[in-house]
Amino acid sequence: MVTKTQLLSWENEKIKLKNNQMAEQEKEFLASPFCINIRENDIKITETIWLEIQQIIDAIYNDFTYRLRKEYPKITQEELKVCYLIKMQVPVKRMAEIISKTSSGVSKTRGRLYEKLTGEKGNAEKLDKLITGF
């Protein structure tokens, strides 16, 4: 007979394995030529590329877009793109180029987005932490 403790132990092991797999997928994605090219090169991101970014991020981060929209239904498509760039660890300067803002404009946008999502006063770093852990 299987005890409740054994069942919980097995469930914990499954969760650990899934988390390890997700961490490995994230590591591979962040080191991929696709991700590096977006982070480091001056390429225009088309809607097709945005869709590919979304699909990859959703696959790695357990339906990230769906969960984010469910938790924060007022998030716009442009705000989602900022969240994708945060997930991809795109530097602020490059993020500014991608979304056609200044670096300080990007930081303000991220701070405002944190406030919109949480209802609390925040800044860019708080949004980054929220999205990174989401």
Side-chain angles (χ1 to χ4, degrees), residues 38-127:
I38 290 170
R39 278 199 314 262
E40 297 178 1
N41 296 318
D42 187 19
I43 62 163
K44 179 172 176 21
I45 300 182
T46 64
E47 286 306 314
T48 302
I49 294 173
W50 278 118
L51 183 59
E52 191 171 346
I53 290 169
Q54 177 185 339
Q55 290 170 343
I56 292 168
I57 287 176
D58 284 346
I60 295 170
Y61 299 105
N62 193 27
D63 291 323
F64 175 78
T65 305
Y66 172 79
R67 292 183 302 110
L68 197 60
R69 283 192 183 278
K70 186 176 179 185
E71 185 78 21
Y72 308 108
K74 293 184 179 182
I75 194 167
T76 67
Q77 190 62 33
E78 291 306 308
E79 292 165 338
L80 264 174
K81 289 177 180 179
V82 170
C83 294
Y84 296 150
L85 296 174
I86 292 168
K87 278 288 197 192
M88 295 173 67
Q89 299 177 1
V90 173
V92 173
K93 183 178 178 189
R94 176 69 181 120
M95 207 181 283
E97 294 167 358
I98 292 170
I99 64 173
S100 302
K101 292 189 179 211
T102 64
S103 293
S104 64
V106 169
S107 293
K108 288 177 186 172
T109 297
R110 288 165 39 228
R112 283 193 297 272
L113 182 54
Y114 179 82
E115 289 181 34
K116 178 180 179 177
L117 298 179
T118 65
E120 300 172 10
K121 190 83 171 145
N123 55 34
E125 291 75 25
K126 285 186 175 183
L127 178 69

Side-chain angles (χ1 to χ4, degrees), residues 27-45:
K27 185 178 170 184
E28 288 176 16
F29 172 60
L30 293 175
S32 71
F34 176 79
C35 193
I36 291 169
N37 195 29
I38 290 170
R39 278 199 314 262
E40 297 178 1
N41 296 318
D42 187 19
I43 62 163
K44 179 172 176 21
I45 300 182

